[in-house]
Amino acid sequence: MIRLLADPLRAQIVALLADGPACTCHLVEDTGAKQPNISNHLRLLREAGLVVSEPYGRFTYYRLVPEVLEAAAGHLADLAGRARARAEARRECP
């Protein structure tokens, strides 16, 4: 998930979709990126389960799956908690 969101355009797409579903034409307009580039990023986000597509008339809208973001955030929060709790616990060298 971190690697997926490390790309600036994908992170921007996710931020835009956090404000509600959008179609590719909206994302092209909002980001200034080319349509094939947006479509490729949306494909990766869909494959990761972070975004779902929903047909609406002639268009396909994309929306975030909040539970996936929450699960990733929870995992990162758990890692941060472990790191904080064990910050001074150095392992002995052999």
Side-chain angles (χ1 to χ4, degrees):
M1 184 66 63
I2 292 172
R3 188 178 316 151
L4 189 66
L5 296 177
D7 181 276
L9 182 55
R10 275 196 297 269
Q12 185 180 9
I13 291 169
V14 168
L16 289 167
L17 292 177
D19 291 329
C23 70
T24 306
C25 61
H26 297 127
L27 298 170
V28 166
E29 182 180 320
D30 292 345
T31 63
K34 302 269 189 228
Q35 184 273 328
N37 197 10
I38 294 291
S39 293
N40 183 49
H41 286 298
L42 286 168
R43 179 183 54 80
L44 294 172
L45 292 168
R46 273 194 333 269
E47 288 173 357
L50 186 57
V51 168
V52 294
S53 60
E54 301 169 332
Y56 186 78
R58 298 180 339 174
F59 301 98
T60 300
Y61 276 73
Y62 298 88
R63 69 173 175 81
L64 286 180
V65 179
E67 296 80 9
V68 175
L69 282 175
E70 290 167 345
H75 180 69
L76 291 173
D78 288 345
L79 289 174
R82 284 175 39 202
R84 186 174 291 110
R86 308 269 310 155
E88 301 301 320
R90 288 185 183 83
R91 292 172 50 182
E92 293 294 324
C93 293

